[in-house]
Amino acid sequence: MYKIVSKKVLNPSVTLMEVEAPRLAAAAKCGQFLIVRARERGERIPLTICDFDREKGTVTICTQAVGASTRIINAMEEGECFTDCVGPLGLPSEFTEWDEARLAGERFLFIAGGLGAAPVYPQVKYLHSKGVPVDVIIGAKCADLLIFADEMASVCDNLYLCTDDGSLGEKGLVTGVVTRLLAEGHEYTRAVAIGPMIMMKFAALTLKPSAIPLTVSLNTLMVDGTGMCGACRVSVGGKTRFACVDGPEFDGYEVDFDEAMRRQTLYRDLEIEADHKCRIGRDA
Amino acid sequence: MDRMKKIPVREQEPEVRARNFDEVCYGYDEFEARAEASRCLNCKKPGCVEHCPVSIKIPLFIKQVKEGEFAAAAATIAEDSSLPAICGRVCPQETQCESGCILGVKGEAVSIGRLERFVADWGRENGVSTAAVPSRNGRKVAVVGSGPSGLACASDLARLGYEVTVFEMLHKAGGVLQYGIPEFRLPKERVVEPEIDNVRALGVKIETNVVIGRTLTIDDLFDREGFEAVFVGSGAGLPKFMGIPGENLNGVFSANEYLTRSNLMQAYSPDSDTPIRIGRKVAVVGGGNVAMDAARTALRLGSEVTIVYRRTEKELPARAEEVHHALQEGIHFCMLTNPVEVLGDEKGNVRALRCLRMTLGDPDASGRRSPVPVPGSEFDIESDLVIMALGTSPNPLISSTTKGLETDRRGCLVATPEGATSRPGVFAGGDAVTGAATVILAMGAGRKAAAAIDEYLKNRK
């Protein structure tokens, strides 16, 4: 069993949990994901690995309640156990394979939207530990939903915050900040965008003229997460790829985001139905 | 009684079973089993055994059934197979043991599969323990994958005294027995799980949620976890798609996904948290056993189902029994038909499958007549859900993370008939080597590899 050793409620819909999974923690690299099941008969839910502690044997996950299963996860408390936790899955971020010579001269811009700040954090932390300069933009709907600002501030060079309503940082979208930074003459060799599909789509459109190589991380639907089912297929450069084994990170300029967004909605009507299904006596 | 005819087996009525997930076939009772067993001629040179990939002592166990010695029959089968209740249900007996039966020359072969199933079910229901825990030799062997090949390999090695750990990447043991074959052909709680428990009773440890190639590599198993040999039975792999326009529309699924949702995740049950889309009109593309399983699953979920296949009934690769059951249940067959495009509505949902009519041309390399499109024969099959059951290509998880492990052109692991790979100490078998095949062939490969691993480890010390 996979015990929740600590839980932090970041905002009403987002929790951060540190989960005991020693083998997973030992093998995890940034950019990868894992799959949890909250209970018997539970759904397999893919979540990006937000941090890992090899000595403690724990991994950190950040969950946003978007449907029935993620709500069940968020209701779990410290000391409770996930029935299953498996990973690391997918390929690590490309730069984790680079040596110091390859990393020298690089300057990264990370663009995080909403929950995306959580998976961005270990990547920034890793690059910072290698001495690579990193700027980070975190955007959210409002101040309450903006997460990981303090953690990020300690591992990046410049942190830019923005909210749709202006309740924290600049008022506006992450793409506005990107445009401003580029206009001000900030130079980057690489960009990474992680967040809602729609944000990644517009991050790609905004960055395209600059030709800065852009990586995005796709949170598609999945069942097994190991290549068996094909639920996660995405069109990248006109070719069908599986996000679970070929990704989850892809070239941001090659991804067909419109298709990816459409595929994400596949179970939305069933999800609404599930929300209304009477579950009294079932959730014990 | 006519010796030339099989004792018929009772089944759920087609119109009833088309609406539930309970097992189709009830199996023989004691009386029926003994009657069927008495048809066996007990040949001196039994053709059935020759045609069994795991060489079960068929005439002996059938004789024991005839005499009412069911516990003895269970023990006889257990000497060669650890999964008889499963194999009795899903083996293609007609092309294996029963194809070697002498009665089959003039009449119908002895119903070896149904007798095997009867014995295994009787043993389980009457608490017959066939597993004696052998003494341990202290040497560790790892098995990758808890499907048929892995379980067969693990039980043989455990019987030889090895300490065996099976690593399974999903949350339940069984591989294709759990995620692939539907409940109505192979009940999970009643048949699969007890049979896997029998393997555990031999001392085999099964660890779920471990992805070899990710959580641990093959090298970790040797260097960090102290295993002296590894058997890779990781199964078939990634689902194939046709590469036609519209395949990524909402409502196009691989059979693997559809079946995994329904079987492993039990999405057919209202208690499951996993959703499954239920189509009004479902088109299943392909003609193998997996296509039949997907079609019959969709039917039971309430859909009207059409199987689309580019050759004719005669060439269908599925078992005759599966095709027969599917037809009985009311599944439509649209033969000599090949999809060229999936059509969608303005929201990106599937609305139809555009197809071409085919004719059969000259035989190809496999001896099957290859389908040729009829020009201008385009037509649409109205469907809101399309399931692609076109086979699989090998999963690169292990080959791409293990140095010195040779693969063939298709990406399957290269192994000798005994199961040895290009890397010393690493053995492989089942679908990971052959590409998608059958449960029993995988078990046969697992057993052969177990013998080869024993030989290898004996010589090593």
Side-chain angles (χ1 to χ4, degrees), chain B residues 245-267:
Chain B
E247 255 182 327
N248 289 347
L249 285 168
N250 286 6
V252 183
F253 297 88
S254 73
N256 261 13
E257 177 181 356
Y258 210 72
L259 290 171
T260 301
R261 283 183 185 273
S262 180
N263 301 334
L264 175 74
M265 306 311 297
Q266 296 168 302

Side-chain angles (χ1 to χ4, degrees), chain A residues 2 23 37 39 41 44 84 87-88 90 226-229 231 233 235 240 259 262-263 266-267 269, chain B residues 169 171 207 209 214-215 225 238-239 247-248 250 252-254 256-257 261 269 271 273 275 277 347 395:
Chain A
Y2 306 86
R23 273 194 176 130
R37 237 162 46 102
R39 55 178 187 182
R41 299 248 167 180
R44 291 172 67 92
D84 302 283
T226 60
M228 253 173 51
C229 83
R233 56 196 196 277
S235 295
T240 294
E259 180 189 281
R262 170 173 49 71
R263 290 186 59 80
L266 192 54
Y267 293 98
D269 51 340
Chain B
M169 69 182 186
H171 55 270
E207 286 199 43
N209 295 327
R214 288 277 182 266
T215 319
E225 308 261 336
L238 283 53
E247 255 182 327
N248 289 347
N250 286 6
V252 183
F253 297 88
S254 73
N256 261 13
E257 177 181 356
R261 283 183 185 273
S269 152
D271 283 344
D273 291 344
R277 280 230 85 93
K347 285 183 178 162
N395 195 323

Side-chain angles (χ1 to χ4, degrees), chain B residues 317-385:
Chain B
R319 286 184 71 189
E321 182 182 298
E322 304 309 324
V323 177
H324 171 70
H325 277 154
L327 281 167
Q328 268 189 333
E329 289 166 10
I331 285 172
H332 309 292
F333 281 68
C334 192
M335 300 289 102
L336 288 169
T337 302
N338 201 30
V340 288
E341 185 177 357
V342 188
L343 305 175
D345 63 16
E346 67 287 352
K347 285 183 178 162
N349 294 312
V350 173
R351 67 173 175 83
L353 189 62
R354 178 152 295 171
C355 300
L356 279 177
R357 299 262 180 230
M358 311 295 274
T359 53
L360 287 186
D362 296 330
D364 64 8
S366 71
R368 289 193 299 183
R369 293 174 65 192
S370 46
V372 184
V374 177
S377 64
E378 254 177 35
F379 70 105
D380 296 346
I381 300 175
E382 188 198 336
S383 5
D384 56 346
L385 203 141

Side-chain angles (χ1 to χ4, degrees), chain A residues 76-100:
Chain A
M76 292 172 79
E77 297 297 340
E78 250 172 55
E80 287 189 76
C81 293
F82 284 100
T83 311
D84 302 283
C85 180
V86 59
L89 300 168
L91 298 172
S93 302
E94 196 188 2
F95 59 74
T96 61
E97 315 283 333
W98 296 352
D99 59 16
E100 282 183 21

